[in-house]
């Protein structure tokens, strides 16, 4: 059983994670974690915070000579801006954030005590943990990729692309979209929204390849793979929906028509590709 | 901390659940659990199995004089058809079910060893557990309702309805839809699909009222309320997507336009109403 | 991961357990569970309750044709005396029991609401669960036995006995002690205590054979085998101490003298035999 | 629910812990943690490692202006000797350690990959976590103290001492024993053992004051306070036995004679004092 705890505030000293339960003997190259941390900071139109951070991980435990010991692995990413104790208080909860609920729950008047932890900067810890897991999965021939499908209503066309094309073209796109034409439109949409002081949402797809049949289990609700994937994804800041396979598309067509192509065109939510 | 285990096969002797961690002194009327079990069996166009079952719960532990003892509560619902040991084997995995993955994982050639447990009959146990929780929540002034929004592409119009109207009209509808006109169209759609040997999907909304601010927590990923709701819902058989608030609708419009009405019209996924 | 919940009150309808996480394909003979339940009721000088119970298990889920399905296994043992709702209230907490702490915690004035669950009758559920696990371990060549070492100050002499002799002679002894002479003295001690309205404590040893090296793990405190054994044993009603290996004997001699024989003579606590 | 993960190897860069689930608004003085870390390093006759360490904690997350945020608290204690990657391999498993079991489990030939984590230096992390918990308990009027009762067979006489005397005199003793005469004998015993290249065991008592009735619960085995205390204590390196109240002493006397004084004289295991 793998488990992990993440820690760290947005303007605290560092973002830290401990991953417990990893096997012994896995080679860990910190460069590969830094690569994932760098990928995390990309994306056209990200906020200013992204620009000052240049995250690199430091592994404080769990390795000897670059290999895992099966003991807990501690990963620390220092924050460039560690001003948490000097930042001015913020008394007004921001809508759409954890401020109000958190402030009420923990009896806090300064919203900064909430937002410092609810911040998406916490995902630095999850990317660190995930990067080690990626190395482990890679040993088993499992690869997990993702690509952006929709931003601000701009959909993409990727149904004619192979798995490798989706993976590689998304990596090169400014908006992590495998469709070059859609990337351009997405960039325009982002620029437009920025100009008018607005924001945009989007939709991305995660694809895992090489996964053995039988992960998770049908025998108890909390062992189901889909359920645990949904929990993990929905726990990411700003994620509002998770779909598996046909997803919400199932609501609008008959079972006999639920093949991938149709759903794919519609671009509703996540989709498990079968090619 | 509340926890529960469910047990039971579709054609086994009974479906059983143990709910551990409930408070002491909660009045439990088994009639109210039976009412929920009955509601579970409704729905226009359900399969034949539904017709033979007339589920009633028997509480085997956790109560004295009709009140909880804080000790584990066992609920047993007997199956009418307990033929598990005499049913013929099934060697061909059914697509879209747990058969193949389960058979591979547990090294089984008779798919019946898998489908007996992966069956949605398991939700009898979850309804039992949920019914006790409903009684507990009711003491705290919390009510959780649900209604069907889409079936087979037929959307409903409920934006002008009050919370009470949604709740009460859905309860009377054949398809658990609060919109009478939509109910009729849904029934037609179901009849049509049945006639042509097809199936339909749909979309339902769950609304909780009276919930105190601060349930869950922003402090760690696995404490987040949305994440745990997504896990619980996605673990239900045949659920393919879960959304919170604006859900997938966020992908197609600007932040400034993300108010309920627009999303509601589109009928994408679940929606937390604010009226 | 194996987990289980137990349920049931001493004078409730039944004692129930659900064991979740067992492998598929394990043959389960309910007779072997009943044998363990019978062994649980033995022991010279047990209370009257023991005499009326003749426990037999009924498996309600998790099996098909006598083999496990990997789905949760429900075991139910009916109580002969299911008078929980008609028993008179008990307002005075009994010393040395959970009555007072439980009554204060759960705000109960009738101690019966506490003692019905804190009763050692709950171990019926754990014996049921353990019996299935015993069958599973047996497939792996692992055997777990136990024998009584001390009752009321009467120690036994078993250092010259083989593993098999300890196992077999304890099984035939009235007090589950492998030493026949000690058994006689223990019986006398029990008779004497009973006559004067007193009680006695004792000490037993659990020995597991065939266990592979490396169960548990040194990598995190809550994975340590000794820690989890201590938790499981200390959770049994009336258990006041748990030792592993040399145990408390370590407090009274030098490391160079800590070989089994010496400790064995002293009869302090549990001991992992090495023969 | 409080939970924590510990990390770090004996000669790694640091010992780290993350404590998750603490309340908001608790004042945390790192000086008080350092005091506990210093107490950890005391004890007459400790090894050389103790002399080079002068542990001080650095809190990397979870605080703002010295108060907890309810977010995970990371505590890091740097190791003076971080030579893990350059230490020579150790091919021979040391008896009485985790080396052999760990090496077999994790398929390691260099025992250093095991002992670096199984080392008692890991308790630095637990002391860090415990120190925060101590501050929290102190707010609730709960105090937890401990004192040494036996070392190498030398017992102490503390039955005439008050709680405060036990606490304060143990703090001043070289061997953390509240009995001055016994302390002297213990020191002699330790010197003697050291001279002859031998080791000694001992026995200590933990006493909690101000604990509200009803901690833990009788309702399920894994909620029982005694069980969880036993697990936590037995998980500490070199602990071989845990007793609660009368402990193993129950094996040698009648129930009517089980009052504290008698057991106390015998010095068998832990004892919950009642004064």
């Amino acid at each position: 059983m793998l488990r992990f705890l993440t820690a760290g505030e947005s303007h605290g000293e560092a973002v830290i994670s401990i991953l417990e339960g990893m096997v012994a003997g896995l080679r860990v190259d910190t460069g590969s974690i830094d690569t994932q941390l760098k990928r995390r900071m990309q994306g056209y139109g990200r906020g200013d915070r992204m620009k000052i951070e240049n995250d690199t991980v430091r592994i404080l435990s769990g390795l000897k000579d670059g290999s895992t010991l099966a003991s807990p692995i501690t990963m620390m990413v220092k924050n460039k801006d560690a001003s948490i104790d000097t930042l001015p208080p913020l008394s007004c909860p921001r809508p759409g954030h954890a401020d109000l609920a958190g402030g009420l729950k923990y009896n806090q008047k300064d919203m900064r005590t909430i937002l410092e932890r609810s911040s998406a900067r916490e995902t630095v810890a999850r990317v660190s943990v995930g990067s080690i897991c990626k190395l482990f999965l890679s040993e088993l021939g499992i690869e997990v990729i993702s690509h952006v499908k929709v931003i601000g209503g701009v959909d993409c066309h990727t149904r004619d692309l192979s798995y490798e094309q989706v993976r590689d073209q998304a990596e090169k796109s400014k908006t992590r979209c495998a469709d070059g034409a859609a990337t351009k439109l997405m960039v325009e949409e982002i620029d437009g929204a920025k100009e008018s002081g607005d924001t945009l949402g989007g939709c991305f797809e995660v694809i895992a390849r090489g996964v053995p049949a039988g992960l998770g289990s049908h025998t108890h609700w909390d062992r189901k793979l889909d359920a645990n994937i949904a929990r993990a994804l929905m726990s990411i800041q700003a994620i509002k929906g998770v779909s598996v396979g046909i997803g919400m598309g199932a609501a609008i067509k008959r079972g006999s028509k639920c093949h991938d192509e149709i759903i794919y065109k519609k671009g509703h939510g996540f989709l498990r590709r079968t090619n």
Side-chain angles (χ1 to χ4, degrees), chain A residues 149 205-207 243 245-246 260 263-264 269-273:
Chain A
K149 293 186 60 177
E205 183 181 57
V206 177
I207 308 169
S243 292
I246 187 173
D260 282 351
I263 304 311
Y264 202 67
F270 299 82
L271 174 65
R272 208 149 47 184
R273 283 164 64 95

Side-chain angles (χ1 to χ4, degrees), chain A residues 7-13 15 49 79 81-85 87-88 90 94 99 110-122 237:
Chain A
E9 284 71 41
S10 185
H11 299 88
E13 185 161 343
V15 178
R49 179 65 187 270
N79 286 332
D81 177 2
S83 55
I84 187 170
D85 286 343
L87 285 167
L90 188 75
R94 299 160 306 153
D99 299 6
D110 179 2
M111 293 304 107
R112 210 163 277 285
T113 61
I114 307 304
L115 67 90
E116 278 291 330
R117 177 62 185 161
S118 63
S119 159
R121 178 129 186 93
E122 181 262 348
Q237 289 82 352

Side-chain angles (χ1 to χ4, degrees), chain A residues 25-189:
Chain A
L26 180 73
R27 296 291 311 168
V28 173
D29 170 25
T30 59
S32 74
I33 306 176
D34 291 346
T35 300
Q36 299 299 331
L37 289 170
K38 197 160 200 165
R39 289 180 71 236
R40 176 186 165 276
M41 289 185 290
Q42 290 163 356
Y44 190 77
R46 305 300 297 272
D48 289 344
R49 179 65 187 270
M50 285 296 168
K51 289 167 194 159
I52 70 157
E53 301 290 356
N54 180 18
D55 294 331
T56 52
V57 77
R58 185 158 176 192
I59 298 187
L60 298 174
S61 76
L63 298 189
K64 177 169 159 48
D65 301 322
S67 287
T68 57
L69 293 169
S71 57
I73 304 167
T74 308
M75 285 157 284
M76 175 173 71
V77 177
K78 289 265 187 180
N79 286 332
K80 291 280 179 303
D81 177 2
S83 55
I84 187 170
D85 286 343
T86 56
L87 285 167
L90 188 75
S91 58
C92 181
R94 299 160 306 153
H97 285 261
D99 299 6
L100 183 61
L104 288 167
K105 181 185 186 84
Y106 295 109
N107 199 24
Q108 301 289 315
K109 285 183 179 164
D110 179 2
M111 293 304 107
R112 210 163 277 285
T113 61
I114 307 304
L115 67 90
E116 278 291 330
R117 177 62 185 161
S118 63
S119 159
R121 178 129 186 93
E122 181 262 348
T123 56
V124 164
R126 289 201 247 178
V127 169
S128 306
V129 166
S131 300
I132 303 266
C133 295
K134 231 177 162 68
L135 292 173
F136 174 60
L137 291 175
S138 158
E139 297 283 328
L140 304 171
I142 300 172
E143 187 184 47
V144 183
I145 67 166
S146 65
H147 64 113
V148 167
K149 293 186 60 177
V150 188
I151 290 181
V154 179
D155 207 343
C156 65
H157 296 274
T158 56
R159 56 178 297 196
D160 301 325
L161 303 182
S162 69
Y163 171 88
E164 286 78 9
Q165 284 173 318
V166 167
R167 179 189 62 196
D168 299 342
Q169 293 177 199
E171 205 62 28
K172 290 175 205 151
S173 157
K174 273 187 179 175
T175 61
R176 292 202 48 75
C177 175
D179 173 350
T183 295
K184 268 184 208 159
L185 291 170
M186 288 173 179
V187 164
E188 281 170 27
E189 189 66 20

